[in-house]
Amino acid sequence: MSEEEIPIAESKSNTRTERFAQWLMSREERRQEKESNLEGLIRLNVLVSFLTLGLVGGFEAVQLGISLIPYL
């Protein structure tokens, strides 16, 4: 009986391991999707900020803002 139980236990652990690996992979994919969405929102925020700066401060303010980007 012990010989039969060992393959069953191994198959269960493999199944658990495989399920855990699949869960980790899907979690990582979801995290990457969130990060790419966050990057898009940051780019949109920067664009809107420069447009607002241009409307409020004029073209000279936009040039000054762009010139200060390397110092961030």
Side-chain angles (χ1 to χ4, degrees):
M1 280 193 202
S2 64
E3 293 176 7
E4 292 176 10
E5 292 175 5
I6 292 173
I8 293 171
E10 287 177 5
S11 67
K12 286 183 181 178
S13 65
N14 287 342
T15 306
R16 281 186 190 161
T17 304
E18 290 171 0
R19 281 187 282 157
F20 181 67
Q22 289 174 354
W23 176 78
L24 281 177
M25 290 171 51
S26 65
R27 187 179 78 163
E28 184 63 28
E29 289 173 358
R30 283 182 274 148
R31 182 180 294 161
Q32 288 176 356
E33 289 174 4
K34 287 182 183 177
E35 288 177 0
S36 64
N37 289 340
L38 185 61
E39 290 173 2
L41 289 174
I42 290 172
R43 289 182 183 149
L44 179 64
N45 189 13
V46 169
L47 176 67
V48 170
S49 297
F50 276 112
L51 289 174
T52 304
L53 183 63
L55 290 173
V56 173
F59 184 68
E60 292 81 14
V62 173
Q63 283 182 326
L64 178 63
I66 291 173
S67 67
L68 294 176
I69 286 176
Y71 298 109
L72 295 178

